[in-house]
Amino acid sequence: MTGQTTAGGGVRVVTGEPGCGRTAFLARAARSCPAAFVVGVRADPAASAVPLGGLRALLGALGAPAVPWSAAGPPCAVLLDALRTASAGRPLLVCVDDAHRWDALSRAAVGRAAEQLRGNGRVSVLLSVSGHRPVDREFAALPVVHVDPLSPAEAAALLDEATGGTVDRAVRDDLVDAAGGSPALLLAMVRRLSPAQIRGHRRLPGPPADAELLTGLAGGFLTGFTSAQEDLLLTVAAAVQDADDREGAEGTERSEGARIGLALARRGAEHLRGTTAGVESAPPFDPLPEVLVRVDGEVGFHSDLLRRAVYAGARPERRRAAHRALARALEDAGAAGLHVLLHRARSAAVPAVPRHGTATELAVAADDPAHPRSLRCAAYTHAAGLAEDGTRRAEWYTAAAEQALLGGRAHRALRLLDRARDSAAPAALRGRVELVRGTTVLYDGAVDEARASLLLAARLLAESSPRQAQSALLSAVDAAWAAGDAQGCLHVLSTGDGPPGADARPDTWPRGGLPADRPGARGGPALRSVAASVGGGTVPCGYGTGLRALLEGRFAQAAGPLRRLVADAEAAGGGAGAAAADEPDTALRAAAAALLLGDLAAARRAGARALAAARAPGTAAALAPAREYLAYAELRAGRHVLARTHAEEGLRAAHRTGQRNTAAHHHAVLALAASIEGTPEEVAAHADAALATALRHGLVQAATLAEWAAARADLARGRPREAADRLGPLVRPGPRRGHFAVWMLAVPCFVEAAASTGRADDGVTEVVEEFARWAEFGADPQAPAQLTRCRALLAPADRPDALYRHALDQHDAAVGGDFERARTELLHGKWLRRRRRLSEARDRLGAALVGFERCGARAWADQARAELRAGGVAPGGGVRAAGLGGLTPQQLRIARCVAEGATNREVALTLSVSTRTVDYHLRKVFAALGVRSRVELVRMVEKAGQEG
């Protein structure tokens, strides 16, 4: 990100909430420009109190002579001269930290200079400003780079770095959850802990982020307000206390629940001031404090850290008074229900029970699904804290955990379940606790542990709630599948309906695996959405039957139920029954079934419906699984760029909602996509990330896919020996063989690697025969051509030509196989060249080169070029499209937007993608075109337009 921030020069504003790491961002930007002359300036409040004091400090750092302003000329011109002089010998990077502290005249000079620096590739200026308030008007026209809060994965990595890897996993999760994405708060909490607390040997202070820490980090931004404004700030902070950003739509930075109507906030603040003796009744709240943002008549905090500091820093009696005032304001407006009850409950001093907010009233009101999940979670939690009966307490803590999990707060769900376990409960309630716990761990923990909890839940719920018991069993199947335990899947599916028949014995299963043996054809967590798992969602008739028949190898019997499931889901999603398809679970099951059947078009349609449903409020936990299924479907269809886009968005959703297991699968998809059109470093980074979680949590499927991706990257780089060493254990029979539904995906790569290194007799033939038995089932349109290609690699000298030609004919009959066809053409061209059939070899290799470039498979394209050169052909414009023609359609759109002067954020809004997706594609554009700055890109796009 920092490289793109400085690319092309110009002035940019870097903003983020207090403690987000703006200073570290500037330091990283400086390190990323080793060839530049870097000038760093930190705004000095004392100097900034003097007109043009900030600018004079900057000019001094640039080495400009100190002369009176009257003699030097206009400040803007003086700054431009100093920048041009400093950049005469080499590129210049100027980093100004806390530029919002500068005086207005200095800010205005920089703002005016920015207009003339636009397009100057030699001068880059980064202005760091705090995001707790609006950007100053002098900088308002400048491009803005937002430093986002840390994702849970990023926060965990920072914590491991800060503690040298000694932090206990449970402690790490607690601190990451308490930090809320703030690196400054995270590091401050760590510094307060003893070594014993870091290692988990002693309990953490409660809460880890207390008022002292929060106000210490944010207190400097909360000064200078009138008493009325302070009351307004506390009122707003109390009003949005239970809002959760995870419930916002995908891609939004803050949910609507994090704001309150301004009129309501003012009325609440008036009531709050009325509770303070000796304070005048007329509340002068205007102007609105800068730390608040007003949007469409609603008000909220610019910074969540400041909101937490305002609330935690208030005295307990003041917090209670704020909640009491909000309850009165809501009642004045005619509101009733959960919001009023919760504010009344929070206004009572512990252990008193509020008259209008008893535990039972809170729990009954929280049952209403119209309320946001974060609010329902808070109400259930407060009700449980007020409950005197142990069973009621456990029931309400469990209900709160369900809402936390459904809202994407897996860690909070586990902590609430710990409280539920502390209370005695009947079997049915204990079953519900284990169901929620097992579902949570399935997404973010060891899958064997999840399976044990889910099986226990099924036993405990069998009599009281058969539907939830069936839901627990299906989720246990998901856990067994993720662990690569085929017998475990069958054992669970046979529970409750008798043992499997003789045809279910392991020795009757097809040795080549299942027809589900493609990426995404999986009974993993995405088969059951979180809502369906914890809520006992309806299981379609025949779903379990079809899945069991599939695992037993009775494919004819499996196809019927699965096809009916896909057809029923499409009918419900597109017709009068569309309301029945509002839950993501229905579409996710249909996507899974379609992938099992090899119906990629239906899988993409079902995945799109699941994604649409998952964007609804309160379904945040379903976003990552929906993206996962879309990524797998696009990957199988050969649309690797789309697969990468879905996986990138899904990975961010998984990190936001604490689904590390789902994140591992997204990393595996990204590694597979990068093994085709990425760099070795990208493949290694994503494969390592997938394996790190997979090995820790027992995710055999994700591990197999990641290993395959790494091996395919080795093949792309001309390292067949390394690829064969990596793939051999995955595909050969034995205890190290990969996931039962995935390992044969790697067979074509293994055969190619083994044949290239002279290891064709090392058990390869047996593996190919297993692959042949699998390919016969027809679930993957590319498998027959891949099989024929494998046979060509192993055939005697007189047979490969005909086999390669037959494989190409099979590719023509399949759909979405551009990359696989190009691989076959490359291998055929290599074979022809080595037999001196150069004219035929050139045709095949040229076709392979075009196919690889169409897919963006640059490493594979380099192999084709090397073969062409070896055959006496210098591949040039006739084969490889020159300039912009070598870009993918998405890259071309982004390049043209950037050439028109759009920032990355503006491009993202125009194309409806994330800024990180734009960053990624822009890096690809720079590499593909051989340009180093936006200025060069603009010139190239303009030149192409003139020539076109």
Side-chain angles (χ1 to χ4, degrees):
M1 182 176 178
T2 51
Q4 290 301 308
T5 299
T6 57
V11 182
R12 291 173 175 83
V13 172
V14 179
T15 186
E17 72 170 28
C20 71
R22 289 180 290 111
T23 302
F25 183 93
L26 295 183
R28 184 175 177 183
R31 290 194 301 271
S32 71
C33 301
F37 173 39
V38 179
V39 174
V41 177
R42 186 178 185 88
D44 180 2
S48 298
V50 180
L52 292 173
L55 181 57
R56 190 174 293 281
L58 175 57
L59 292 172
L62 289 169
V67 295
W69 289 114
S70 57
C76 175
V78 173
L79 175 59
L80 287 171
D81 288 342
L83 292 172
R84 292 189 185 105
T85 301
S87 63
R90 52 178 171 162
L92 171 68
L93 172 62
V94 178
C95 298
V96 181
D97 204 4
D98 288 341
H100 60 281
R101 296 182 183 274
W102 270 1
D103 59 279
L105 291 176
S106 296
R107 296 196 301 266
V110 173
R112 285 192 291 270
E115 290 297 321
Q116 300 187 46
L117 288 173
R118 189 185 301 273
N120 185 331
R122 298 190 60 79
V123 178
S124 298
V125 180
L126 300 180
L127 306 171
S128 161
V129 304
S130 179
H132 75 284
R133 55 193 284 277
V135 174
D136 293 293
R137 62 184 181 85
E138 295 87 356
F139 297 155
L142 300 180
V144 176
V145 177
H146 289 274
V147 180
D148 295 326
L150 297 178
S151 71
E154 292 166 339
L158 176 61
L159 198 52
D160 286 337
E161 179 182 344
T163 61
T166 62
V167 63
D168 176 75
R169 285 188 59 202
V171 172
R172 181 180 62 194
D173 289 346
D174 285 341
L175 294 178
V176 167
D177 187 65
S182 170
L185 180 56
L186 183 66
L187 296 175
M189 287 189 290
V190 173
R191 286 192 289 268
R192 294 199 344 177
L193 300 182
S194 68
Q197 288 173 320
I198 290 174
R199 291 181 172 84
H201 300 159
R202 295 187 61 186
R203 296 186 63 177
L204 295 179
D210 58 14
E212 180 183 355
L213 270 184
L214 290 167
T215 55
L217 287 171
F221 301 94
L222 297 173
T223 58
F225 301 121
T226 66
S227 61
Q229 289 175 324
E230 290 176 349
D231 288 337
L232 181 64
L233 291 176
L234 179 56
T235 302
V236 175
V240 300
Q241 175 68 11
D242 301 308
D244 193 337
D245 291 351
R246 289 168 176 80
E247 294 192 25
E250 185 180 42
T252 60
E253 295 182 5
R254 188 167 297 275
S255 70
E256 292 184 4
R259 296 193 294 267
I260 178 180
L262 180 57
L264 179 62
R266 289 179 183 275
R267 185 59 179 160
E270 289 172 2
H271 285 306
L272 177 59
R273 289 180 65 74
T275 63
T276 305
V279 176
E280 68 278 6
S281 59
F285 300 119
D286 293 324
L288 202 67
E290 285 189 327
V291 297
L292 297 180
V293 57
R294 180 176 180 176
V295 180
D296 296 331
E298 294 185 325
V299 65
F301 280 81
H302 278 286
S303 163
D304 190 62
L305 181 68
L306 296 193
R307 176 195 64 78
R308 294 174 65 185
V310 167
Y311 189 81
R315 300 188 308 276
E317 60 270 21
R318 290 291 293 161
R319 292 199 296 266
R320 291 195 296 271
H323 286 292
R324 191 177 306 115
L326 281 164
R328 287 183 59 191
L330 285 166
E331 290 170 340
D332 291 345
L338 186 55
H339 285 87
V340 173
L341 286 172
L342 194 52
H343 283 304
R344 288 292 182 193
R346 291 189 182 280
S347 69
V350 178
V353 178
R355 185 181 60 183
H356 298 294
T358 64
T360 302
E361 287 177 316
L362 276 171
V364 169
D367 286 338
D368 185 356
H371 295 298
R373 296 201 185 279
S374 58
L375 192 66
R376 297 174 69 189
C377 176
Y380 281 127
T381 302
H382 208 85
L386 295 173
E388 297 180 356
D389 178 69
T391 299
R392 284 289 192 186
R393 186 182 307 116
E395 177 185 354
W396 290 334
Y397 273 135
T398 304
E402 289 174 346
Q403 297 305 315
L405 177 58
L406 293 167
R409 299 298 299 263
H411 180 74
R412 180 173 296 179
L414 290 175
R415 289 294 170 261
L416 289 166
L417 290 172
D418 289 340
R419 299 185 196 177
R421 274 184 165 179
D422 291 340
S423 303
L429 183 53
R430 286 191 291 119
R432 189 174 159 200
V433 170
E434 293 302 326
L435 175 57
V436 181
R437 179 176 293 279
T439 303
T440 305
V441 176
L442 179 59
Y443 282 81
D444 190 44
V447 289
D448 285 339
E449 178 187 341
R451 183 176 10 168
S453 287
L454 291 164
L455 290 174
L456 175 59
R459 288 196 297 272
L460 293 171
L461 293 168
E463 292 186 7
S464 62
S465 182
R467 191 175 70 173
Q468 282 193 322
Q470 180 69 9
S471 181
L473 286 175
L474 285 176
S475 293
V477 173
D478 298 343
W481 189 294
D485 186 356
Q487 295 186 44
C489 292
L490 270 174
H491 173 73
V492 176
L493 285 169
S494 65
T495 300
D497 103 322
D503 58 350
R505 292 175 301 162
D507 58 5
T508 66
W509 299 348
R511 292 179 63 202
L514 310 175
D517 299 341
R518 299 302 298 171
R522 48 186 296 252
L527 273 177
R528 299 281 292 160
S529 75
V530 176
S533 298
V534 302
T538 302
V539 179
C541 180
Y543 174 72
T545 302
L547 188 57
R548 177 177 169 182
L550 188 70
L551 285 164
E552 292 172 352
R554 297 182 287 112
F555 305 110
Q557 293 89 334
L562 294 175
R563 287 197 180 100
R564 283 195 298 274
L565 170 59
V566 174
D568 291 346
E570 291 207 335
D582 286 343
E583 286 295 330
D585 181 59
T586 303
L588 285 174
R589 284 196 304 264
L595 283 169
L596 294 172
L597 294 167
D599 189 345
L600 303 185
R604 290 198 302 272
R605 291 194 299 270
R609 292 198 306 273
L611 182 60
R615 285 180 170 137
T619 57
L623 279 169
R627 287 285 189 185
E628 180 186 353
Y629 261 63
L630 279 168
Y632 278 126
E634 299 296 358
L635 198 64
R636 285 187 59 186
R639 300 198 275 203
H640 308 107
V641 174
L642 277 174
R644 179 191 285 267
T645 298
H646 285 304
E648 287 172 340
E649 297 291 349
L651 183 61
R652 284 189 280 277
H655 286 323
R656 281 197 307 270
T657 54
Q659 299 181 34
R660 281 177 287 195
N661 292 353
T662 309
H665 281 279
H666 281 298
H667 275 300
V669 171
L670 289 168
L672 286 166
S675 70
I676 294 173
E677 46 95 27
T679 65
E681 293 76 19
E682 288 178 280
V683 178
H686 287 299
D688 289 347
L691 288 168
T693 301
L695 297 177
R696 189 167 58 243
H697 292 172
L699 306 174
V700 176
Q701 182 172 352
T704 304
L705 292 173
E707 292 281 11
W708 173 43
R712 191 160 68 180
D714 283 333
L715 270 181
R717 297 163 60 199
R719 295 157 46 99
R721 185 173 300 280
E722 289 81 354
D725 290 342
R726 189 184 293 272
L727 292 175
L730 286 183
V731 303
R732 293 195 187 97
R736 297 176 62 192
R737 174 172 268 187
H739 191 279
F740 63 88
V742 176
W743 66 262
M744 73 287 302
L745 293 172
V747 167
C749 286
F750 172 66
V751 174
E752 181 179 339
S756 299
T757 55
R759 303 186 193 179
D761 296 331
D762 193 9
V764 176
T765 302
E766 291 77 5
V767 172
V768 170
E769 292 310 311
E770 291 188 73
F771 184 76
R773 285 190 286 273
W774 169 75
E776 290 175 0
F777 298 121
D780 182 5
Q782 295 302 319
Q786 289 175 319
L787 173 62
T788 306
R789 185 174 75 206
C790 289
R791 294 198 189 284
L793 286 165
L794 302 176
D798 60 334
R799 295 193 58 208
D801 192 21
L803 287 170
Y804 279 127
R805 294 179 189 278
H806 181 48
L808 290 171
D809 290 339
Q810 291 173 306
H811 282 303
D812 289 338
V815 178
D818 286 350
F819 174 71
E820 289 299 328
R821 179 186 175 85
R823 287 183 67 182
T824 301
E825 288 171 328
L826 174 62
L827 291 170
H828 191 197
K830 287 181 177 181
W831 185 87
L832 290 168
R833 188 185 66 78
R834 282 157 179 73
R835 279 146 189 82
R836 309 304 300 167
R837 295 164 61 175
L838 298 183
S839 178
E840 296 173 271
R842 290 166 189 162
D843 290 342
R844 284 285 177 249
L845 293 170
L849 179 55
V850 170
F852 286 137
E853 290 191 328
R854 185 181 298 121
C855 299
R858 302 190 189 281
W860 297 89
D862 288 342
Q863 283 196 41
R865 287 193 199 91
E867 288 291 327
L868 282 166
R869 283 192 293 269
V873 176
V879 176
R880 177 180 173 88
L884 300 181
L887 302 180
T888 66
Q890 182 79 319
Q891 290 170 349
L892 186 57
R893 285 192 290 269
I894 290 173
R896 285 174 173 161
C897 288
V898 170
E900 292 171 359
T903 65
N904 287 12
R905 190 173 184 84
E906 290 167 344
V907 175
L909 292 173
T910 300
L911 301 182
S912 299
V913 297
S914 70
T915 53
R916 295 184 186 181
T917 299
V918 174
D919 290 340
Y920 165 77
H921 284 301
L922 199 53
R923 288 195 300 271
K924 291 290 187 182
V925 169
F926 276 43
L929 301 180
V931 299
R932 294 177 296 174
S933 71
R934 290 178 179 246
V935 176
E936 294 180 29
L937 177 60
V938 170
R939 291 170 183 162
M940 182 169 285
V941 172
E942 290 176 349
K943 181 179 179 182
Q946 294 168 358
E947 293 174 351

